[in-house]
Amino acid sequence: MIRIALAALLAVFAAPASATELFEAAGNWQGEGMIATGPRAPLERGRCRVEIAPAAGGGDVSITGSCAVAAGLSDISLRLVRGAGGKVNAGFWSAATAQTVQFAGTETDGAIVMEATGALVLDEVPYQSRVEVETGGAEGFTLRQMLRAEGEDAWRLVVDMAYRQAGG
């Protein structure tokens, strides 16, 4: 099992061309870019494939799939819930970390910023986790995840991926 720092990687996989459509996306999505296989590991080429299933009403979406790097594959599962006033909450599980992590953040002007509400523990070290998503037009979006050990000032980039709808 690989130790990809994915706790937030999929917190916004569902985002289509506009963040305001976050909970309307459906079907297969794929991402290509860079992923670190651990909190201090260098970035390496990676790919993700997910199936997105929005709930009726547009305020809830489930995402399941996997991400891969040369070291292996990690299954993932995510549920996002949109709240009032641009709030977004998420629960994310990854086989790579064997943890469920809760996130909270905001959705404004085509961008989503979320932070973990508790520590993500990797290699017995607690980390704060942050996800930033920027829409890139009708083709998809870019997702960046950062980690920092508790007490550190600087964030470390651990995911930099560009997503598009599969087959598009």
Side-chain angles (χ1 to χ4, degrees):
M1 175 172 49
I2 57 178
R3 296 285 305 187
I4 297 176
L6 288 174
L9 172 61
L10 294 178
V12 285
F13 260 148
S18 170
T20 59
E21 300 170 12
L22 174 63
F23 296 88
E24 298 172 12
N28 295 310
W29 286 76
Q30 57 191 25
E32 294 186 25
M34 305 298 285
I35 300 175
T37 58
R40 303 275 184 211
L43 290 168
E44 61 182 87
R45 301 292 299 153
R47 293 179 181 216
C48 299
R49 292 187 180 272
V50 295
E51 175 74 25
I52 299 173
D60 188 323
V61 65
S62 295
I63 298 108
T64 56
S66 60
C67 290
V69 293
L73 185 70
S74 179
D75 291 332
I76 52 178
S77 177
L78 168 72
R79 180 173 176 221
L80 288 160
V81 178
R82 176 186 274 154
K87 301 290 183 190
V88 178
N89 294 308
F92 176 72
W93 172 85
S94 166
T97 65
Q99 299 172 60
T100 298
V101 179
Q102 302 295 316
F103 290 89
T106 58
E107 173 185 27
T108 57
D109 298 328
I112 298 168
V113 177
M114 296 177 63
E115 290 193 16
T117 60
L120 168 63
V121 180
L122 299 167
D123 300 329
E124 300 181 20
V125 176
Y127 289 89
Q128 295 173 311
S129 183
R130 177 182 178 94
V131 171
E132 299 174 355
V133 177
E134 297 176 15
T135 59
E139 296 297 315
F141 63 98
T142 300
L143 178 142
R144 289 177 188 87
Q145 178 192 0
M146 286 75 60
L147 292 178
R148 69 177 173 194
E150 290 187 354
E152 289 183 356
D153 290 331
W155 289 97
R156 180 177 185 278
L157 184 66
V158 293
V159 175
D160 189 0
M161 301 281 281
Y163 293 88
R164 62 184 172 87
Q165 194 149 24

